[in-house]
Amino acid sequence: RKEVEQDPGPFNVPEGATVAFNCTYSNSASQSFFWYRQDCRKEPKLLMSVYSSGNEDGRFTAQLNRASQYISLLIRDSKLSDSATYLCVVNRMNTGFQKLVFGTGTRLLVSP
Amino acid sequence: GAGVSQSPRYKVAKRGQDVALRCDPISGHVSLFWYQQALGQGPEFLTYFQNEAQLDKSGLPSDRFFAERPEGSVSTLKIQRTQQEDSAVYLCASSLVAGAARGANVLTFGAGSRLTVL
C-alpha cells in the first residue's frame, strides 16, 4: 500500500464546475501537507499548503483531517487553465531531513 | 542561478549503456533531492544531500544507481548498465535550508531529465 493514496482520475468537468479531490496518508508521523500542481511534461509546483483549520486561496480550498489522515482540495468555478495533475504531498522528518512523499496524482480535465 | 537547472533534458540510451544526469541547484541551497517519476505516477524519492553529505539513499532502486554532490553544489545521478525499467523522468529539487528549519520543505524543482532506455 502506498504511503499517500489518491484517485488517479481523470476527472472530466465542464468550465465553471466545482470539483473535489481527496487523498489519504498512512504515516501518522506526517507533519505538514501540501498540494502540488503538475502540468503535462512539466515539473511539480507548489499550489498550496494544507492546514487543519482549512485554508483558502482564491478558488482553491484545502482541508486536513489529522484524525482520519485525510486531505482534500476543492476547486470552485473551474477554468480551462486548471487542467493539470494535482499531487497530494505529505512531509515528515526522516533521519535529519524533511522528506516529501508524493501521491500518484489526480488528473483534472476541464472542458469548454 | 535563478532556478534549478537539469541536463540533459532528454536522453535516449541503449540498454546496457551508462548515463549521467546533472543538476545545478539554486545557488546557496543546502538541500538537494533526486526523485524518479515514471509515466502516470507521482515522483518517488531517490536520495537526499545536505551540502556534500548524502544523508539518505534509501530510494535508489539498485546498486546501478549512484549519486554524488562532491562540492555541495552541482549533483550528478549516474545509472550504470541501464535497463528498460529505468525509463522515467528524473527530477532534481533544492531547498535553501535543511533539517527541521522552517522552509526546509519548500522545494524548487528542475524541469527534469527524461530518460528513455531502448
Side-chain angles (χ1 to χ4, degrees):
Chain A
R1 185 187 169 205
K2 282 189 167 288
E3 188 171 340
V4 180
E5 299 260 17
Q6 292 182 254
D7 180 344
F11 283 54
N12 290 285
V13 303
E15 263 186 301
T18 294
V19 61
F21 306 138
N22 303 319
C23 162
T24 57
Y25 61 95
S26 59
N27 193 326
S28 58
S30 300
Q31 296 171 307
S32 49
F33 309 87
F34 308 93
W35 283 100
Y36 273 68
R37 171 188 169 132
Q38 187 171 28
D39 292 294
C40 189
R41 293 183 172 263
K42 299 284 189 181
E43 71 273 24
K45 292 185 178 177
L46 178 65
L47 178 65
M48 60 196 302
S49 301
V50 189
Y51 305 113
S52 297
S53 53
N55 50 300
E56 193 173 303
D57 182 1
R59 298 180 292 108
F60 298 82
T61 301
Q63 189 76 50
L64 165 67
N65 184 321
R66 282 188 186 268
S68 302
Q69 297 184 190
Y70 171 95
I71 304 162
S72 66
L73 177 68
L74 183 78
I75 305 175
R76 290 181 299 278
D77 188 23
S78 300
K79 310 291 184 191
L80 295 176
S81 57
D82 294 335
S83 296
T85 296
Y86 291 84
L87 297 159
C88 178
V89 185
V90 304
N91 176 60
R92 54 180 168 82
M93 281 303 294
N94 185 81
T95 58
F97 69 99
Q98 296 188 46
K99 180 178 179 180
L100 294 191
V101 181
F102 288 77
T104 56
T106 298
R107 193 165 169 220
L108 172 65
L109 298 170
V110 182
S111 53
Chain B
V4 178
S5 178
Q6 292 189 246
S7 60
R9 287 293 315 278
Y10 303 92
K11 176 69 179 177
V12 178
K14 291 182 180 178
R15 192 171 54 188
Q17 272 187 317
D18 297 350
V19 300
L21 308 176
R22 177 187 168 106
C23 173
D24 277 273
I26 294 173
S27 179
H29 276 204
V30 169
S31 295
L32 187 145
F33 298 78
W34 282 99
Y35 283 82
Q36 179 192 57
Q37 187 171 25
L39 190 64
Q41 301 296 312
E44 296 279 348
F45 172 82
L46 293 178
T47 188
Y48 168 75
F49 290 87
Q50 182 175 313
N51 296 308
E52 69 279 2
Q54 188 174 23
L55 297 191
D56 190 318
K57 55 181 181 179
S58 63
L60 296 177
S62 75
D63 58 9
R64 296 185 295 103
F65 286 70
F66 171 78
E68 60 182 5
R69 193 187 186 197
E71 296 177 1
S73 54
V74 171
S75 177
T76 304
L77 176 66
K78 297 179 179 177
I79 310 172
Q80 296 177 322
R81 305 181 303 282
T82 52
Q83 303 295 314
Q84 284 189 317
E85 63 262 27
D86 299 336
S87 296
V89 176
Y90 291 85
L91 293 162
C92 177
S94 69
S95 176
L96 179 62
V97 292
R102 185 182 178 87
N105 56 24
V106 179
L107 301 190
T108 301
F109 280 86
S113 291
R114 182 177 297 272
L115 173 65
T116 302
V117 181
L118 303 176

Coordinates of all heavy atoms in Angstrom, one line a residue, chain A residues 50-104:
Chain A
V50 N -1.6 22.9 3.3 CA -2.8 22.4 3.9 C -2.8 22.5 5.4 O -1.8 21.9 6.0 CB -3.2 21.0 3.4 CG1 -4.6 20.7 3.8 CG2 -3.0 20.8 1.9
Y51 N -3.7 23.2 6.0 CA -3.7 23.3 7.5 C -5.0 22.7 8.0 O -6.0 22.6 7.4 CB -3.6 24.8 7.9 CG -2.4 25.5 7.3 CD1 -2.6 26.5 6.3 CD2 -1.1 25.1 7.6 CE1 -1.5 27.1 5.8 CE2 -0.1 25.7 7.1 CZ -0.2 26.7 6.1 OH 0.9 27.3 5.6
S52 N -4.9 22.3 9.3 CA -6.1 21.6 9.9 C -7.3 22.6 10.0 O -8.4 22.1 9.9 CB -5.7 21.2 11.4 OG -4.7 20.2 11.3
S53 N -7.0 23.9 10.1 CA -8.1 24.8 10.2 C -8.7 25.1 8.8 O -9.7 25.8 8.7 CB -7.6 26.1 10.7 OG -6.4 26.6 10.0
G54 N -8.1 24.5 7.8 CA -8.6 24.8 6.4 C -8.1 26.1 5.9 O -7.9 27.0 6.7
N55 N -7.7 26.1 4.7 CA -7.2 27.4 4.1 C -7.7 27.5 2.7 O -7.9 26.5 2.0 CB -5.7 27.4 4.2 CG -5.0 26.2 3.7 OD1 -5.2 25.1 4.2 ND2 -4.1 26.4 2.7
E56 N -7.8 28.8 2.3 CA -8.4 29.1 1.0 C -7.4 30.0 0.3 O -6.8 30.9 0.9 CB -9.7 29.8 1.3 CG -10.6 30.0 0.1 CD -12.0 30.5 0.4 OE1 -12.7 29.9 1.3 OE2 -12.3 31.6 -0.1
D57 N -7.3 29.8 -1.0 CA -6.5 30.7 -1.9 C -7.3 30.9 -3.1 O -7.3 30.1 -4.0 CB -5.2 30.1 -2.2 CG -4.3 31.0 -3.0 OD1 -4.7 32.1 -3.3 OD2 -3.2 30.6 -3.3
G58 N -8.1 32.0 -3.2 CA -9.0 32.3 -4.3 C -10.0 31.2 -4.5 O -10.8 30.9 -3.6
R59 N -10.0 30.5 -5.6 CA -11.0 29.5 -5.9 C -10.6 28.1 -5.3 O -11.4 27.2 -5.4 CB -11.1 29.3 -7.4 CG -11.6 30.6 -8.2 CD -11.7 30.3 -9.7 NE -10.4 30.2 -10.3 CZ -10.0 29.0 -10.8 NH1 -10.7 27.9 -10.7 NH2 -8.8 28.9 -11.3
F60 N -9.5 28.0 -4.6 CA -9.0 26.8 -4.1 C -9.1 26.7 -2.6 O -8.7 27.7 -1.9 CB -7.5 26.6 -4.5 CG -7.3 26.5 -6.0 CD1 -7.2 27.7 -6.7 CD2 -7.1 25.3 -6.6 CE1 -7.0 27.6 -8.1 CE2 -6.9 25.2 -8.0 CZ -6.8 26.4 -8.7
T61 N -9.6 25.6 -2.1 CA -9.8 25.4 -0.6 C -9.2 24.1 -0.3 O -9.5 23.1 -0.9 CB -11.2 25.5 -0.2 OG1 -11.8 26.7 -0.5 CG2 -11.3 25.3 1.3
A62 N -8.3 24.1 0.7 CA -7.7 22.8 1.1 C -8.1 22.5 2.6 O -8.3 23.5 3.4 CB -6.1 22.9 1.0
Q63 N -8.2 21.3 2.9 CA -8.6 20.9 4.2 C -7.8 19.6 4.7 O -7.5 18.8 3.9 CB -10.1 20.6 4.2 CG -10.7 20.3 5.6 CD -10.9 21.6 6.4 OE1 -11.5 22.6 5.9 NE2 -10.4 21.7 7.6
L64 N -7.5 19.6 6.0 CA -6.8 18.5 6.5 C -7.6 17.9 7.7 O -8.0 18.7 8.5 CB -5.4 18.9 7.0 CG -4.6 18.0 7.9 CD1 -4.2 16.7 7.2 CD2 -3.4 18.7 8.5
N65 N -7.7 16.6 7.8 CA -8.3 15.9 8.9 C -7.3 15.0 9.4 O -7.1 13.9 8.9 CB -9.6 15.2 8.5 CG -10.3 14.6 9.7 OD1 -9.7 14.0 10.6 ND2 -11.6 14.6 9.7
R66 N -6.6 15.4 10.5 CA -5.5 14.5 11.0 C -6.0 13.2 11.6 O -5.3 12.2 11.5 CB -4.7 15.3 12.1 CG -3.7 16.3 11.5 CD -2.9 16.9 12.7 NE -2.0 18.0 12.2 CZ -0.8 17.8 11.7 NH1 -0.3 16.6 11.7 NH2 0.0 18.8 11.4
A67 N -7.2 13.3 12.3 CA -7.7 12.1 12.9 C -8.0 11.0 11.9 O -7.7 9.8 12.1 CB -9.0 12.4 13.7
S68 N -8.5 11.4 10.7 CA -8.8 10.5 9.6 C -7.6 10.3 8.7 O -7.7 9.5 7.7 CB -10.0 10.9 8.9 OG -11.1 11.0 9.8
Q69 N -6.6 11.1 8.8 CA -5.5 11.1 7.9 C -5.9 11.3 6.5 O -5.6 10.5 5.6 CB -4.6 9.8 8.1 CG -4.0 9.8 9.5 CD -3.1 8.6 9.8 OE1 -2.7 8.3 10.9 NE2 -2.8 7.8 8.8
Y70 N -6.6 12.4 6.3 CA -7.3 12.7 5.0 C -7.1 14.1 4.7 O -7.2 15.0 5.5 CB -8.8 12.4 5.3 CG -9.8 12.8 4.3 CD1 -10.3 11.8 3.4 CD2 -10.4 14.0 4.3 CE1 -11.2 12.2 2.4 CE2 -11.4 14.4 3.4 CZ -11.8 13.4 2.5 OH -12.8 13.8 1.6
I71 N -6.9 14.4 3.4 CA -6.6 15.7 2.9 C -7.5 15.9 1.7 O -7.8 15.0 0.9 CB -5.1 15.8 2.4 CG1 -4.2 15.5 3.5 CG2 -4.8 17.2 1.9 CD1 -2.8 15.1 3.1
S72 N -8.0 17.1 1.5 CA -8.9 17.4 0.4 C -8.5 18.7 -0.3 O -7.9 19.6 0.3 CB -10.3 17.5 0.8 OG -10.5 18.6 1.7
L73 N -8.9 18.8 -1.6 CA -8.7 20.0 -2.3 C -10.0 20.3 -3.1 O -10.5 19.4 -3.8 CB -7.6 19.9 -3.3 CG -7.3 21.1 -4.2 CD1 -6.8 22.3 -3.4 CD2 -6.3 20.8 -5.3
L74 N -10.6 21.5 -3.0 CA -11.8 21.9 -3.6 C -11.5 23.0 -4.6 O -10.8 24.0 -4.2 CB -12.8 22.3 -2.6 CG -14.2 22.7 -3.2 CD1 -15.0 21.4 -3.5 CD2 -15.0 23.6 -2.2
I75 N -11.9 22.8 -5.8 CA -11.7 23.9 -6.8 C -13.1 24.4 -7.3 O -13.9 23.6 -7.8 CB -10.9 23.4 -8.1 CG1 -9.6 22.8 -7.6 CG2 -10.7 24.5 -9.0 CD1 -8.8 22.2 -8.8
R76 N -13.3 25.6 -7.1 CA -14.6 26.2 -7.5 C -14.5 26.9 -8.8 O -13.4 27.4 -9.2 CB -15.1 27.2 -6.4 CG -15.5 26.6 -5.1 CD -16.0 27.7 -4.2 NE -15.0 28.6 -3.9 CZ -14.0 28.5 -3.0 NH1 -14.0 27.3 -2.3 NH2 -13.1 29.4 -2.8
D77 N -15.6 27.0 -9.6 CA -15.6 27.8 -10.8 C -14.4 27.4 -11.7 O -13.6 28.2 -12.1 CB -15.5 29.3 -10.5 CG -15.8 30.1 -11.7 OD1 -16.4 29.6 -12.7 OD2 -15.3 31.3 -11.7
S78 N -14.3 26.1 -12.0 CA -13.1 25.6 -12.8 C -12.9 26.4 -14.1 O -13.8 26.7 -14.8 CB -13.4 24.1 -13.1 OG -13.6 23.3 -12.0
K79 N -11.6 26.6 -14.3 CA -11.2 27.2 -15.6 C -10.5 26.2 -16.5 O -9.9 25.2 -16.0 CB -10.2 28.4 -15.3 CG -10.7 29.3 -14.2 CD -11.8 30.2 -14.7 CE -12.2 31.2 -13.6 NZ -13.5 31.9 -13.9
L80 N -10.4 26.5 -17.7 CA -9.7 25.6 -18.7 C -8.2 25.4 -18.2 O -7.7 24.3 -18.3 CB -9.7 26.1 -20.1 CG -11.1 26.2 -20.8 CD1 -10.9 26.8 -22.1 CD2 -11.7 24.8 -20.9
S81 N -7.7 26.5 -17.7 CA -6.3 26.5 -17.2 C -6.0 25.7 -16.0 O -4.9 25.5 -15.6 CB -5.8 27.9 -17.0 OG -6.6 28.6 -16.0
D82 N -7.1 25.2 -15.3 CA -6.9 24.3 -14.2 C -6.6 22.9 -14.6 O -6.3 22.1 -13.7 CB -8.2 24.3 -13.3 CG -8.5 25.7 -12.7 OD1 -7.6 26.5 -12.5 OD2 -9.7 25.9 -12.4
S83 N -6.7 22.6 -15.9 CA -6.4 21.2 -16.3 C -5.0 20.9 -16.0 O -4.0 21.6 -16.5 CB -6.7 21.1 -17.8 OG -8.0 21.3 -18.1
A84 N -4.7 19.9 -15.2 CA -3.4 19.5 -14.8 C -3.5 18.3 -13.9 O -4.6 17.8 -13.7 CB -2.8 20.7 -14.0
T85 N -2.4 17.8 -13.4 CA -2.4 16.8 -12.4 C -2.1 17.4 -11.1 O -1.2 18.2 -10.9 CB -1.4 15.7 -12.7 OG1 -1.7 15.0 -14.0 CG2 -1.3 14.6 -11.6
Y86 N -2.9 17.0 -10.1 CA -2.8 17.5 -8.7 C -2.2 16.5 -7.8 O -2.8 15.4 -7.6 CB -4.2 18.1 -8.2 CG -4.6 19.3 -9.0 CD1 -5.2 19.1 -10.2 CD2 -4.3 20.6 -8.6 CE1 -5.6 20.2 -11.0 CE2 -4.6 21.7 -9.3 CZ -5.3 21.5 -10.5 OH -5.6 22.6 -11.3
L87 N -1.1 16.8 -7.2 CA -0.3 15.8 -6.4 C -0.5 16.2 -4.9 O -0.3 17.3 -4.5 CB 1.2 15.9 -6.8 CG 1.6 15.5 -8.2 CD1 2.9 16.1 -8.5 CD2 1.6 14.0 -8.3
C88 N -1.0 15.2 -4.2 CA -1.1 15.3 -2.8 C 0.3 14.9 -2.2 O 0.9 13.9 -2.5 CB -2.1 14.3 -2.3 SG -2.4 14.3 -0.5
V89 N 0.8 15.7 -1.2 CA 2.1 15.6 -0.7 C 2.1 15.7 0.8 O 1.5 16.6 1.4 CB 3.1 16.6 -1.3 CG1 4.5 16.4 -0.9 CG2 3.0 16.7 -2.8
V90 N 2.8 14.7 1.5 CA 3.0 14.8 2.9 C 4.5 14.9 3.2 O 5.3 14.5 2.4 CB 2.4 13.6 3.6 CG1 0.9 13.4 3.3 CG2 3.1 12.3 3.3
N91 N 4.7 15.6 4.3 CA 6.1 15.8 4.7 C 6.4 15.3 6.1 O 5.5 15.5 7.0 CB 6.3 17.4 4.7 CG 7.7 17.7 5.2 OD1 8.7 17.4 4.6 ND2 7.8 18.5 6.2
R92 N 7.5 14.7 6.3 CA 7.9 14.2 7.6 C 9.4 14.2 7.8 O 10.1 14.2 6.8 CB 7.3 12.8 7.9 CG 7.7 11.7 6.8 CD 7.2 10.4 7.2 NE 7.3 9.4 6.1 CZ 8.4 8.7 5.8 NH1 9.5 8.9 6.5 NH2 8.4 7.9 4.8
M93 N 9.8 14.3 9.1 CA 11.2 14.3 9.4 C 11.7 12.8 9.1 O 11.0 11.9 9.5 CB 11.5 14.7 10.8 CG 11.4 16.2 11.0 SD 12.6 17.1 10.0 CE 14.2 16.5 10.6
N94 N 12.8 12.7 8.5 CA 13.4 11.4 8.2 C 14.9 11.5 8.3 O 15.6 12.1 7.5 CB 13.0 11.1 6.7 CG 13.4 9.7 6.3 OD1 12.8 8.7 6.6 ND2 14.5 9.6 5.6
T95 N 15.5 10.9 9.3 CA 16.9 10.8 9.5 C 17.6 12.2 9.3 O 18.5 12.3 8.5 CB 17.6 9.7 8.7 OG1 17.3 10.0 7.3 CG2 17.1 8.4 9.1
G96 N 17.0 13.2 9.9 CA 17.7 14.5 9.9 C 17.3 15.4 8.7 O 17.9 16.5 8.6
F97 N 16.3 15.0 7.9 CA 15.9 16.0 6.9 C 14.4 15.8 6.7 O 13.8 14.8 7.1 CB 16.6 15.7 5.6 CG 16.3 14.4 4.9 CD1 15.4 14.4 3.8 CD2 16.9 13.3 5.3 CE1 15.1 13.2 3.2 CE2 16.6 12.1 4.6 CZ 15.7 12.1 3.6
Q98 N 13.8 16.8 6.1 CA 12.3 16.7 5.8 C 12.1 16.1 4.4 O 12.6 16.6 3.5 CB 11.7 18.1 5.9 CG 11.8 18.7 7.3 CD 11.1 20.0 7.4 OE1 9.9 20.1 7.0 NE2 11.7 21.0 8.0
K99 N 11.3 15.0 4.4 CA 11.1 14.3 3.2 C 9.7 14.4 2.7 O 8.8 14.2 3.4 CB 11.4 12.8 3.5 CG 11.2 11.8 2.3 CD 11.6 10.4 2.8 CE 11.4 9.4 1.6 NZ 11.8 8.1 2.1
L100 N 9.6 14.9 1.5 CA 8.3 15.0 0.8 C 7.9 13.7 0.2 O 8.7 13.1 -0.6 CB 8.3 16.1 -0.2 CG 8.5 17.5 0.3 CD1 8.2 18.5 -0.9 CD2 7.6 17.8 1.5
V101 N 6.8 13.1 0.5 CA 6.3 11.9 -0.1 C 5.0 12.3 -1.0 O 4.1 12.9 -0.5 CB 5.9 10.9 0.9 CG1 5.4 9.6 0.3 CG2 7.1 10.6 1.8
F102 N 5.1 11.9 -2.3 CA 4.1 12.3 -3.2 C 3.1 11.2 -3.5 O 3.5 10.0 -3.5 CB 4.7 12.6 -4.6 CG 5.4 13.9 -4.6 CD1 6.7 14.0 -4.0 CD2 4.9 15.1 -5.1 CE1 7.4 15.2 -4.0 CE2 5.6 16.3 -5.2 CZ 6.8 16.4 -4.6
G103 N 1.8 11.5 -3.7 CA 0.9 10.6 -4.2 C 1.0 10.4 -5.7 O 1.9 11.1 -6.3
T104 N 0.2 9.6 -6.3 CA 0.3 9.3 -7.7 C -0.2 10.5 -8.6 O 0.1 10.6 -9.7 CB -0.4 8.1 -8.2 OG1 -1.7 8.1 -7.7 CG2 0.3 6.8 -7.5

